Amino acid sequence: MDLSAIFIIAIALLAIITAVVEVFKKTLNISPRYLPITSIVVGIFIAILIWPLTEYSLYLMIVAGIVSGLASSGTFDLLKASNKKDDSK
């Protein structure tokens, strides 16, 4: 298994997952406590959706979905922290 393929797929999914989770957060009023697990679930779901369009195995796509979901929740936390820092000025 090639780890570079997982990271390339995860980077491609990162913006999509962040946007979908943000929409879920605004429309479904999801608690911030559940956003990381929501990001992982959305990442797995989107990876499975695009799996037929790729040449990679389902296992590799699920792992890429998990990695991108974790990265998406980290990206969200970083953006949230930077927004709080800017608001305090």
Side-chain angles (χ1 to χ4, degrees):
M1 181 168 64
D2 188 17
L3 288 178
S4 64
I6 291 174
F7 291 131
I8 291 170
I9 295 167
I11 289 170
L13 294 176
L14 185 66
I16 298 168
I17 293 169
T18 304
V20 170
V21 169
E22 189 66 26
V23 168
F24 281 171
K25 185 181 95 169
K26 298 289 184 187
T27 58
L28 302 176
N29 295 325
I30 296 175
S31 171
R33 177 178 169 189
Y34 299 114
L35 288 178
I37 192 69
T38 304
S39 295
I40 294 170
V41 170
V42 168
I44 293 171
F45 181 72
I46 291 175
I48 290 173
L49 280 179
I50 66 167
W51 167 60
L53 305 174
T54 66
E55 59 189 36
Y56 301 112
S57 67
L58 180 61
Y59 171 74
L60 188 113
M61 292 302 291
I62 290 173
V63 171
I66 292 170
V67 169
S68 62
L70 289 170
S72 175
S73 65
T75 303
F76 175 77
D77 291 338
L78 282 173
L79 291 174
K80 187 170 70 171
S82 69
N83 284 342
K84 283 184 180 179
K85 187 190 306 183
D86 290 341
D87 290 342
S88 66
K89 288 184 179 180

